[in-house]
Amino acid sequence: EWLERLVKILIENACKYTRGDSPVHVRLTDEGKRCTLSVNNKGDVIDAEDLPHVFDRFYRTDKARTRGNETGGFGLGLAIAKGITESHKGTIACTSNEVEGTTFTVTLPQAVR
């Protein structure tokens, strides 16, 4: 249930902040002892100085993620995503640039089979 919520947060954010009708790319890979989920969109770039803070509670960048626009939220979704990821002993990261867009990557250890 929590992993489902994690995926939902990342995909909903990507859909909210993508440019126009640009696609959102979701990829899940099996890498042996871990699996990686990446969610990518071509929305506004998150500035380099904002990247270290995107998972902080209530943190919002000044441009694409402000409450004043119709997509606004409260700045909790990515903090919740980080908490879920860490509670499953995983990691979450974000990259953002003009060429590749914004990508959130979650890496989780696979359960013992």
Side-chain angles (χ1 to χ4, degrees):
E1 185 177 317
W2 285 104
L3 292 177
E4 183 178 323
R5 186 169 184 188
L6 167 63
V7 172
K8 184 177 180 180
I9 288 168
L10 295 179
I11 292 174
E12 284 181 351
N13 269 7
C15 289
K16 264 199 272 189
Y17 297 111
T18 195
R19 231 181 258 133
D21 60 353
S22 296
V24 170
H25 297 280
V26 179
R27 182 175 180 194
L28 181 63
T29 56
D30 178 347
E31 300 170 356
K33 294 186 178 189
R34 63 181 181 217
C35 60
T36 300
L37 169 71
S38 63
V39 179
N40 170 272
N41 74 352
K42 299 285 185 172
D44 292 333
V45 172
I46 299 172
D47 291 333
E49 61 268 12
D50 290 322
L51 283 173
H53 305 287
V54 295
F55 299 107
D56 296 349
R57 287 185 303 155
F58 307 115
Y59 187 81
R60 304 190 55 79
T61 63
D62 290 335
K63 296 175 187 166
R65 302 177 192 272
T66 58
R67 187 79 179 136
N69 66 27
E70 63 193 45
T71 61
F74 296 101
L76 291 173
L78 293 175
I80 292 168
K82 181 181 178 185
I84 294 168
T85 301
E86 290 177 347
S87 73
H88 285 83
K89 300 186 181 358
T91 60
I92 188 169
C94 178
T95 60
S96 189
N97 62 60
E98 284 291 335
V99 175
E100 297 170 0
T102 299
T103 303
F104 285 89
T105 304
V106 174
T107 302
L108 296 169
Q110 288 195 10
V112 177
R113 298 177 194 193

